[in-house]
Structure formats: structure tokens, C-alpha cells
Amino acid sequence: MGVAGGGRRFTRRLAGDEATMEVLRRRAAERGAELVEVPDEAVEAWGGVRADAEVGGLEGDFQKYNQALAISAAREHLRVLAGSEEAKDDKPTVVVDFSSIPEGFAEGLRQARLRGRCETRQEDNVAWLIDGAHTAESLREVARWFASKRSTAANARHVLLFNQQERDAAKLLEGLYSGIQQNVPSPGAAAIFDKAVFTRNELQPRSGEEAERDMSVQNAGVQAFNKLSPDSRTVVCDNVADAVSEVRRSEVAQGNTAEMTIVLVTGSLHLVGALLRVLEPDAPL
């Protein structure tokens, strides 16, 4: 919403979530601001700006809603800075048509990056699909993103690397798995994942003096996942470095000729942060 009073604030109009919309409207009124509710229809008609694959831009179909809000905020900022007659009007026109935006806006959106959000990192024959989603809503979007990646990668094995220490991990896993099933074309009887690795968020193995780490959350995750995908292998690790080693280890089943491993890493921003440290120990994050 911002700190200063007055002006405009922008939000996606959340159809079917009137309670949240009422909170946003009330908060805007308290700040003396106009709340502009951007309708999904306008965003869907536009379609968004596709990421620049060469710079690893933001992927995921849902990003178009974030892009629309960014464009709206940028337009408003420029309008106010320009001090136009429209800016002095009590009720200036609100533009929710995104079909024509400045090329500078489009280029910025193509090159936008946010580490750990719909991020793809290629490492030899392992593709890491990384997203720190940790709510039911965000994991639904990750399910769609992963399904789109999965459907374009023939002859690959698929691994889930997951943790969520503070929320109902079993419920989140169920939502993620069913979301993928709904978005994978003709999944058939085959398991979505060949293997699932459940880990804590600690970066490295415990030291000799450290007490054993509580693995109850990870073991509960295994139990929940086994019900969802009984034919998949499951592994538990107490740190992310060992989890990455487990993923990299060659464990191709007899008769499996997969040439690539696709790993979905999700469930926690803390997990993603530790993963990036393991994959890129010298890189600034």
C-alpha cells in the first residue's frame, strides 16, 4: 500500500475473495488513497511480457499479473512526476489497457530477475527448477510452472526436493501434487516424480558436538508423499548439502535411459536460499 497518504494504490482484483478485497479497500480509505483494482480480464487479454531466456528472466504464467501491477505503478509514478494537468484532476483517468506500453517497460520486464522465484538453473545434465513458494496459493502456481516444464522435457527423470518447517507440509504437498496432475497432459499411471528428497534447511551436516536434528517434519513429509506416489523413492536428509548430493548421485533405475534429471525445489524460501549457497558458493545472492 505504501506509507504516504493520498495518491493511488494498485491491486489485482481478487475474484471470489471479497474478504481480502474489503481489507485492501478499507486500508486504502484509511490512507486517503484511491485503490485501483486491476481486473484479470484486462491482464489476460494482454498476455504479459515473456521473459528473456538468455538472462534468466521471470518465468511462470502468473507473472503477467505482477507485471500489470508494476506497469500500473510505473505509469502512476511518471504521471505524478510529470505534474500533468491530469495529475491535478480530482478524478484522473485510470488506464488498465496494457496492449500498448513503452518499450522501456517491456524491456525491463523481459530482463527482470528475482532469485528463487520460478528460476531455472542448468547444471550439466541436471535442471534445477527453483521456487520458494510456501503457501497453498503460490504452490498452485508452481505446479502449473513445473507441469509446463515437465511436458517439454522428454526422456527425463523427475525429482522433488522439498521442505516446509512451519506450515502443514502434508497439506501443501497434497496441493502441489494434485496441481501438477491437473496440469500435466495425459499423466497416465506414471508417477509425477521418480524420487522425492525431504530435507531440513540447514546448509551443512551437523558438527560432532551438535545434537541430532529433529527430523519429524521430514518423516511426516515422507509419509504423506508415499500416499500420493507409492511408486516413488523417498529420501530424508538433515541438511541441504547432503540433499543436493543425493540428487546428483546417479541412481538411474535398471532399464531407465533418462538423459536428464529435472529437480523441482520448493516449499520454503529458507530451503531455496541454502540451495543457492550450495550450488553457487561464491556467487552474491
Side-chain angles (χ1 to χ4, degrees):
M1 278 293 186
V3 177
R8 288 172 174 161
R9 305 294 185 268
F10 298 88
T11 183
R12 180 182 179 184
R13 184 181 297 158
L14 303 174
D17 193 352
E18 193 61 25
T20 299
M21 293 307 304
E22 283 304 316
V23 171
L24 292 172
R25 291 163 187 154
R26 185 170 61 251
R27 181 58 175 157
E30 290 171 357
R31 304 300 295 175
E34 176 189 2
L35 183 65
V36 179
E37 301 175 17
V38 178
D40 282 359
E41 294 80 3
V43 180
E44 289 160 3
W46 167 52
V49 175
R50 297 185 67 84
D52 186 335
E54 292 185 2
V55 299
L58 295 171
E59 298 183 4
D61 185 60
F62 66 92
Q63 294 291 358
K64 62 190 175 189
Y65 302 106
N66 295 329
Q67 291 177 343
L69 295 182
I71 290 169
S72 299
R75 278 174 168 168
E76 174 69 4
H77 182 63
L78 293 176
R79 183 183 69 83
V80 172
L81 286 180
S84 65
E85 289 302 315
E86 183 187 5
K88 300 173 185 177
D89 193 335
D90 289 339
K91 291 188 179 297
T93 301
V94 177
V95 179
V96 292
D97 177 12
F98 304 100
S99 59
S100 178
I101 62 174
E103 176 55 29
F105 283 20
E107 182 62 18
L109 293 173
R110 279 192 289 269
Q111 297 195 33
R113 294 186 68 205
L114 181 59
R115 299 302 310 267
R117 286 295 192 187
C118 286
E119 177 180 353
T120 300
R121 187 182 188 281
Q122 190 68 42
E123 177 189 78
D124 297 327
N125 65 334
V126 178
W128 301 88
L129 307 184
I130 308 167
D131 194 287
H134 51 277
T135 65
E137 294 79 6
S138 57
L139 283 167
R140 279 198 295 269
E141 298 298 341
V142 168
R144 294 189 184 97
W145 175 58
F146 174 75
S148 70
K149 290 285 192 177
R150 192 181 191 278
S151 64
T152 60
N155 200 31
R157 55 194 300 269
H158 302 88
V159 178
L160 173 66
L161 177 54
F162 187 89
N163 188 41
Q164 175 46 247
Q165 288 289 135
E166 299 174 356
R167 294 177 171 85
D168 186 340
K171 187 174 181 180
L172 293 177
L173 276 169
E174 291 169 6
L176 173 67
Y177 200 85
S178 64
I180 296 171
Q181 286 180 313
Q182 292 166 15
N183 288 279
V184 171
S186 304
I192 297 295
F193 295 101
D194 299 282
K195 180 167 68 173
V197 181
F198 295 88
T199 180
R200 287 179 60 92
N201 293 329
E202 281 83 359
L203 185 63
Q204 297 293 341
R206 63 189 179 90
S207 64
E209 297 78 20
E210 182 184 349
E212 288 191 10
R213 293 167 179 167
D214 180 4
M215 304 300 295
S216 57
V217 169
Q218 288 66 41
N219 290 326
V222 168
Q223 292 178 4
F225 191 81
N226 284 339
K227 294 178 182 178
L228 296 168
S229 185
D231 294 330
S232 303
R233 287 198 58 221
T234 53
V235 179
V236 170
C237 299
D238 73 355
N239 69 91
V240 177
D242 283 351
V244 170
S245 296
E246 178 66 33
V247 171
R248 286 170 170 164
R249 192 171 295 128
S250 175
E251 294 183 359
V252 178
Q254 185 176 3
N256 188 341
T257 58
E259 298 177 353
M260 174 177 285
T261 298
I262 299 177
V263 189
L264 175 61
V265 185
T266 193
S268 167
L269 288 169
H270 298 290
L271 168 63
V272 164
L275 174 86
L276 292 174
R277 280 297 181 199
V278 173
L279 298 182
E280 306 172 17
D282 300 322
L285 297 180

